[in-house]
Amino acid sequence: AVAAAAGVTVLGAVDGSIDIRDTADGSPRRRWNVAELGCPLATGNPIRVVDVRRDGSVLAAGYFDGSIVVIEDPLGEARVRCQSASGVVRGIAFDPRTGDVVATNGDDRLLVWSLQTDRVRLVTVATDTVNAVAFDPSGRIVATGAVNGDIALLDAASLRPIRQPFNGAQVAVVDLAFSPRRSLLASAGVDGSVVLWNVDTGLELTEPIVVHA
C-alpha cells in the first residue's frame, strides 16, 4: 500500500510495518515495525491501505484484521493512536475539512473517527460492502465504491447521497481517485479494469480499460 503528500511517501508492508521515504529521492525518513507501533496488532498482519494528510502531518494505515493506526507528527514526536473496524479496512482517507479519518468498516458502512474528540461513528452509505473511499479536492464530496459495482457520491458533511449511484459494466470497485479539478472520477475494478466517470452527469466517459490481468 502506498500514499504520498507534502514530499513524503508512506509505504504499508505485508508484515504490518510502516515506512516513510522522501518522495524526491526515495531516501528513508522513518520506519515503524509492528512492535514499535504499540497497538494490539498481530505480528505479520498485513497493511491493506494507507493515506497521508495533504500537509504530511498525519498518516493512517488500515489492516486486514480491521485495525486502524494513525500516527500524528510522524517525522517528529510521532503520537500513535489505534482504532478498530469490524472487518478488513479496504479503503481509508482523511477528510480535508475536519481531519477526520474515514475508513471502510468491512460492511455497508463507513467508519468516521474524529481525531479531535476520539469519537467514532458508523454511517450506512451503500447496499453492499464498501471497498473504497475518496474525497474530491475541495473536500465537499466523498465517493465510495462497493462490491456490487455501485459508486456513490455523498455530501462530505452529512454523508448523504447527492445523486443516484453510478454503475456501469464494471465489477467490484476496489479504488477511487478524483482528478485535480474534480470533474472526473476514476474507478478501479477487482479485475484490473479502470473506468473514467463524469462527476456531474454520472456517465461513463470510457469503456472499462483493462490495465492488468
Side-chain angles (χ1 to χ4, degrees), residues 93-106:
F94 285 101
D95 185 329
R97 304 166 306 109
T98 64
D100 293 350
V101 175
V102 180
T104 63
N105 189 57

Side-chain angles (χ1 to χ4, degrees), residues 12 15-16 39 47 75 80 84 98 105 117 126 148 163 165 168 171 186-187:
D15 65 357
C39 296
I47 292 176
L75 296 177
V80 179
S84 296
T98 64
N105 189 57
T117 66
N148 62 2
R163 60 172 303 127
V171 294
S187 62

Side-chain angles (χ1 to χ4, degrees), residues 48-131:
R48 176 67 176 79
V49 287
V50 293
D51 194 27
V52 58
R53 204 146 73 180
R54 291 176 184 176
D55 61 3
S57 63
V58 189
L59 64 86
Y63 288 75
F64 273 83
D65 73 346
S67 298
I68 300 170
V69 172
V70 163
I71 304 177
E72 297 169 304
D73 191 18
L75 296 177
E77 294 294 327
R79 181 189 179 198
V80 179
R81 301 167 68 175
C82 311
Q83 191 55 256
S84 296
S86 64
V88 177
V89 182
R90 295 178 170 90
I92 199 165
F94 285 101
D95 185 329
R97 304 166 306 109
T98 64
D100 293 350
V101 175
V102 180
T104 63
N105 189 57
D107 52 24
D108 59 356
R109 298 173 293 177
L110 290 179
L111 180 151
V112 183
W113 178 12
S114 169
L115 298 182
Q116 292 184 333
T117 66
D118 207 33
R119 293 182 178 177
V120 172
R121 59 191 176 103
L122 297 172
V123 183
T124 300
V125 296
T127 58
D128 205 338
T129 300
V130 179
N131 266 348

